[in-house]
Amino acid sequence: MHKRVLPYYFVFSLATGSLIYLAQKLAIELPVIVNNYVNDFLIIPIVLIVSLYVLRWSRNDANYQISIGAILYLCSFYAVIFEYVLPKFHPRYTADIIDVVLYFIGGIIFYYLQKCRL
């Protein structure tokens, strides 16, 4: 696999997520799966890719990789905050187990994509 896959995945994910967010703000009707789930799938890799590049820069180590434990921690953190805590206090958020699964799938995809760099 080409070693530059992570930046392309980042740009694609950020553009896709931004377009979905913009469409929602403009009240453009989207398919239910796209409207409710795609951004939940994309957010973890986006956050982790930014984190990875900051860590590689700050450690001056182009081969640094985020551990599976740290990835799972971030996925768990997002699950608790966005699917348990925030739905109790803000009507914009709803608890959804599918979102939790998508956070972890996104984390696993990131884990494998970061390895393509080497």
Side-chain angles (χ1 to χ4, degrees), residues 3 6 8 30 38 45 51 55 59 61 78-79 82 86 111 117:
K3 73 179 194 173
L6 207 54
Y8 291 120
L30 297 169
V38 173
S51 300
L55 288 166
R59 294 172 180 252
D61 181 359
Y78 266 69
F82 289 101
L86 287 177
Y111 177 75
R117 167 106 170 64

Side-chain angles (χ1 to χ4, degrees), residues 44 47-48 51-52 55 59 64-78 103-104 107-108 110-111 114:
I44 296 294
V47 169
L48 285 169
S51 300
L52 178 64
L55 288 166
R59 294 172 180 252
Y64 180 82
Q65 294 189 3
I66 298 175
S67 71
I68 190 68
I71 294 167
L72 294 175
Y73 174 81
L74 182 73
C75 295
S76 299
F77 179 80
Y78 266 69
Y103 296 148
F104 282 90
I108 292 166
F110 167 80
Y111 177 75
Q114 79 172 335

